[in-house]
Amino acid sequence: MINKKRIFWLGMHKVLSQTELPRLRELGYEVFNPPYLSDVYDQSAVYDWVAPDSSLPKEALEILARTNFFYDEIPPAAAEVLNAYFDAAVVTINPLWLGHFLKAYHGRVIYRTYGQPHSLSDELANLGALPLVTERNDFWFLPHSEKVTDIEDDWLRSRMMIVPYCLTQDVVDLRDTWDIGASVPELGLLCPRVADIPYYATNYRYLRRYFPAKGYRIFGAQNVPVRDERVIGTVERSEFIRRLTQMRGFAYHYEEPTVCYLPPIEFMTLGGPVLFQKGSLLCRYFPAGAPGRADSIEELVKRSEQLRKGDRALSRELIESQAEVRKLYQPEYVWPIFDDAITRALGEEGTNKAPELIYTPTVKIEAPAAETVLVAFHGFGPLVVHQNGEYHCAEGIARVIRQVIRALADLGFKVVVTSRKEDVGRIHGFLNSAAGRNLKIMVIDKEVLAGSRAMSAIERLRQIARTRPFSANIDHLKNVCRTRDMRNIPRALATTAAAAIFKALRRVEQQVDNFKLANGATPRADYVDLINADSNIDHVLISHYYMFPELAHLEGKNVVLYLPDYMPHFYKGSIEMGATRQAAMIGRKMVAKARRILTNSAFTASYLPKTTLAARPEDIVHVPLPYLNGSPGNAEASGRLRALPRYYAFYPTRDRPSKRLADFARTVAIVNKRLEEAGNKEQLVGVLTTPLTGKSAAGAEEHLVSLSELTDAELGYLYKNALCLLFTSEMEGNFPTQITEALHLDVPVVATNIPLITLELGEASACLDLVEVGDCEGFADQVMSILEDRASAVLRQKDAQETASRKFAYDNFKYGLSELFRR
């Protein structure tokens, strides 16, 4: 049965125009593809456009044929045609094309991609397309491999189907025709556009450095002729394939983990052997011990020479290992998956509903179906990191708030968190596992007026100055200069200078703001007025006592202030510990505004009323924290974790005076001295999440390792494999989460004897290895004891583990919070 649906296909790639475009027509759809009219040259584009057969009215066809849909905004006349005549659209490759298309077209959209070196979700968010995706039903994201999606945010991954893509028939027809006996002693390399794109110019110089022999041919279309006999340049497709079949092998030198160019796959399909660099997407297709993998450029060159000189055994081994990988691009594998995915995506409406991620405040009279808690979180946005498909944040309060949000969602609350526009993807990814569909994001940035490119550019520079370290601008400028990218040097200079100016202006603004705050002038923000007017929002959780001063203007809401500690009470005059006049002023306002104050320790609850914040004892609710790390840590030892020695003491924390990290370093030094004096060749390493140098390193610098930005899985792995937790802090805001985690994962605990621990664990604290604050020799005694018999140390702390498991149970935490947030 012929499917009469009409599809607009936004693509121009030579491969796709021979594969997926005709395949859609074979499935029975009427497909219109526009001409590539952009002045942006692309070596992969089809320029000889032929108008497709169409049942569209002549006037509509004329409008579509003269519209540049690539890179430019879609004009109203073309948008009107799209919405009037098309049932769906397939947008390929470029997120800018997608952003423009989503603004103009309101129907079903499939976004089809084939690997990008950067995050598509980040770019879509920067283009303002995030709400256009998250608020649209029947949007589908179709990447070609799950291995390229690690860098994408959950809001995009949640709309995903994996659909591989197919080689062109001219290569498939020649499958397994390669013959080593008919080959010449040459090897293929790949580098297009070496004269007009800086990235490829750098790669070209790299290839010339490491593959200087004449026996290498560089494939890839060239927009500008290159005076190098090794560069084949732009040739007819049949000539490209003929020359490819003559090679004795192919060396793939790229290392991008989310992009794989097609020539090495095409050469595999012809039947030839391919070598590849570790870390590349091509490498990731193979198992760890694949014979084609080279762990360095030197190894790649060495083995390339073996192939070039006719090493038949190596050639045969490589070819035999490639069968499963090349299959991923073959028509008999790809088309059934492609057909099923397209049929599903273009089938019944509502099969891929929008997650409705963005929360828009409204003025409503009727009571909401479920109570809603707004959580101030935008201050933590820049601290959330997306790495290897996981989201993490080194800030402990952010991890606590994630657990609070999980409990609120479990209790049936809807949760809205504040975010700046550039942080939405990371904040959603970090919190989504806690609340799922009960979570929405309220974007608090003011939008720049549309139509002004200058204003947009200025606002972007302001955002860069606010969120990006200035060193990143310097690094970019150095890289541009190093690669002699003359076209972009002036722009990089201007951007760096502008960022420096905005950084300076930002510091002045902060000083002025601090002066105003210190004198009682609390800033206002439009989003707070929107919250006040929204009757759907019942409760507001202020997650830090001075990071959100504008929330002092909240009205008519049940405000809960999270106040885990007030360190200036113990460190008077220490700016590093928060003892500033403006922070104290904001804190007093927040305490006065709050209906209830949430803290996690009996000790903190006991002293808060005595501080300058003047918290009322009857408003303070003490709810102990549960285990914060969602996974017990099943990460494999890879990369930086694999390099760790057998014995290490662990303490994940920030460097603050209260943490006494110099005591940690000194203890490591004492233990190693004792081991050396005893003739023991083993050495203890101290693993921290912050670097220590100079005086703070206490002479142990060579035995200290800093691992920042740990994922939850990495954190769990480090705990489970540590000799012990070495906790040297003299003051905390709550029962130390590090001790909770260590006890949960059967890790011996060596810690300071402080009320934060003893008040919460009671008599069970006696079974921990507690040492008086600053007693490094005492810490060393306990570490040496654990070195002798770690299993006994774990067994010795069983009572503390069971007490912590009972007292810090998640259900206790959840029901403790329910009393805070119910009306």
Side-chain angles (χ1 to χ4, degrees), residues 57-73:
K58 180 180 178 182
E59 297 80 4
L61 281 171
E62 289 176 349
I63 290 172
L64 296 178
R66 65 171 180 260
T67 300
N68 173 26
F69 288 94
F70 302 89
Y71 300 104
D72 288 355
E73 295 273 1

Side-chain angles (χ1 to χ4, degrees), residues 658-788:
S658 61
K659 308 299 182 181
R660 299 184 65 100
L661 294 186
D663 290 352
F664 178 94
R666 196 171 294 112
T667 301
V668 171
I670 293 171
V671 169
N672 284 329
K673 183 179 179 181
R674 292 185 186 182
L675 289 171
E676 186 178 349
E677 289 173 347
N680 191 328
K681 294 183 179 180
E682 297 283 0
Q683 289 282 278
L684 178 73
V685 165
V687 176
L688 296 162
T689 51
T690 186
L692 284 189
T693 56
K695 186 177 180 180
S696 297
E701 194 164 347
E702 65 176 309
H703 293 112
L704 298 178
V705 174
S706 173
L707 298 175
S708 60
E709 298 183 352
L710 295 172
T711 65
D712 283 357
E714 287 177 325
L715 184 65
Y717 174 90
L718 286 167
Y719 270 118
K720 289 173 69 175
N721 292 278
L723 174 71
C724 65
L725 170 69
L726 179 54
F727 181 88
T728 55
S729 173
E730 66 183 7
M731 178 59 64
E732 294 289 313
N734 44 258
F735 182 81
T737 56
Q738 296 95 335
I739 295 180
T740 305
E741 290 165 340
L743 291 172
H744 185 86
L745 297 173
D746 288 328
V747 180
V749 174
V750 179
T752 44
N753 186 10
I754 55 176
L756 278 302
I757 299 171
T758 56
L759 282 179
E760 297 292 344
L761 288 182
E763 293 180 0
S765 63
C767 68
L768 297 179
D769 294 332
L770 299 183
V771 179
E772 295 306 314
V773 173
D775 182 3
C776 296
E777 293 288 346
F779 284 130
D781 290 342
Q782 301 303 330
V783 173
M784 293 295 292
S785 173
I786 295 170
L787 274 168
E788 291 175 7

Side-chain angles (χ1 to χ4, degrees), residues 605-667:
S606 71
Y607 75 75
L608 278 180
K610 305 169 189 175
T611 69
T612 188
L613 301 184
R616 296 176 296 275
E618 62 272 19
D619 294 342
I620 301 172
V621 178
H622 159 218
V623 182
L625 282 174
Y627 174 67
L628 293 180
N629 195 4
S631 165
N634 294 316
E636 295 182 2
S638 59
R640 56 182 181 169
L641 301 187
R642 188 188 297 125
L644 290 175
R646 179 182 179 187
Y647 296 119
Y648 63 88
F650 186 40
Y651 186 13
T653 189
R654 293 190 297 167
D655 186 9
R656 293 288 184 270
S658 61
K659 308 299 182 181
R660 299 184 65 100
L661 294 186
D663 290 352
F664 178 94
R666 196 171 294 112
T667 301

Side-chain angles (χ1 to χ4, degrees), residues 420 422 445 461-468 503 506:
R420 299 194 184 280
E422 66 267 22
D445 303 70
L461 284 171
R462 287 176 64 89
Q463 289 179 357
I464 289 172
R466 179 168 58 82
T467 60
R468 184 189 297 174
K503 284 282 186 187
R506 178 65 180 161

Side-chain angles (χ1 to χ4, degrees), residues 171 174-180 245 247-248 264-274 315-316 318-320 322 326:
V171 173
L174 295 173
R175 187 159 48 194
D176 293 324
T177 58
W178 178 84
D179 179 6
I180 191 172
T245 58
M247 300 294 105
R248 284 207 175 146
I265 304 294
E266 291 173 323
F267 191 68
M268 285 182 191
T269 300
L270 294 172
V274 175
S315 179
R316 184 167 52 252
L318 295 176
I319 292 168
E320 289 173 356
Q322 294 168 177
R326 76 176 198 172

Side-chain angles (χ1 to χ4, degrees), residues 338-465:
F338 179 87
D339 295 352
D340 288 347
I342 292 296
T343 302
R344 181 183 174 195
L346 298 180
E348 188 176 338
E349 292 185 2
T351 54
N352 199 20
K353 291 185 177 180
E356 298 177 350
L357 172 64
I358 304 301
Y359 180 84
T360 303
T362 56
V363 179
K364 292 186 178 180
I365 305 300
E366 68 272 16
E371 290 179 296
T372 301
V373 179
L374 182 134
V375 180
F377 201 82
H378 54 273
F380 301 110
L383 305 177
V384 176
V385 177
H386 186 196
Q387 178 181 312
N388 298 327
E390 292 188 55
Y391 301 85
H392 53 97
C393 183
E395 173 55 57
I397 291 179
R399 298 177 70 221
V400 171
I401 296 302
R402 180 173 59 179
Q403 198 70 292
V404 171
I405 288 172
R406 174 192 170 193
L408 291 173
D410 287 350
L411 289 166
F413 289 93
K414 292 182 178 178
V415 180
V416 176
V417 299
T418 58
S419 172
R420 299 194 184 280
K421 183 170 64 176
E422 66 267 22
D423 301 324
V424 167
R426 294 192 306 277
I427 284 179
H428 175 259
F430 181 66
L431 299 176
N432 183 53
S433 61
R437 287 192 173 268
N438 282 335
L439 176 71
K440 293 186 185 298
I441 310 289
M442 178 178 172
V443 181
I444 66 166
D445 303 70
K446 287 184 179 178
E447 291 291 336
V448 178
L449 293 177
S452 172
R453 291 189 178 183
M455 287 299 294
S456 297
I458 289 172
E459 181 60 24
R460 178 166 176 76
L461 284 171
R462 287 176 64 89
Q463 289 179 357
I464 289 172

Side-chain angles (χ1 to χ4, degrees), residues 223-266:
N223 186 32
V224 178
V226 181
R227 291 185 177 180
D228 183 343
E229 63 181 12
R230 298 185 308 161
V231 176
I232 291 175
T234 303
V235 294
E236 292 294 328
R237 176 70 176 173
S238 58
E239 177 65 7
F240 164 78
I241 296 176
R242 186 188 72 80
R243 293 197 178 200
L244 195 62
T245 58
Q246 293 178 336
M247 300 294 105
R248 284 207 175 146
F250 198 98
Y252 187 70
H253 76 281
Y254 294 94
E255 296 182 76
E256 291 100 331
T258 55
V259 177
C260 182
Y261 298 94
L262 283 182
I265 304 294
E266 291 173 323

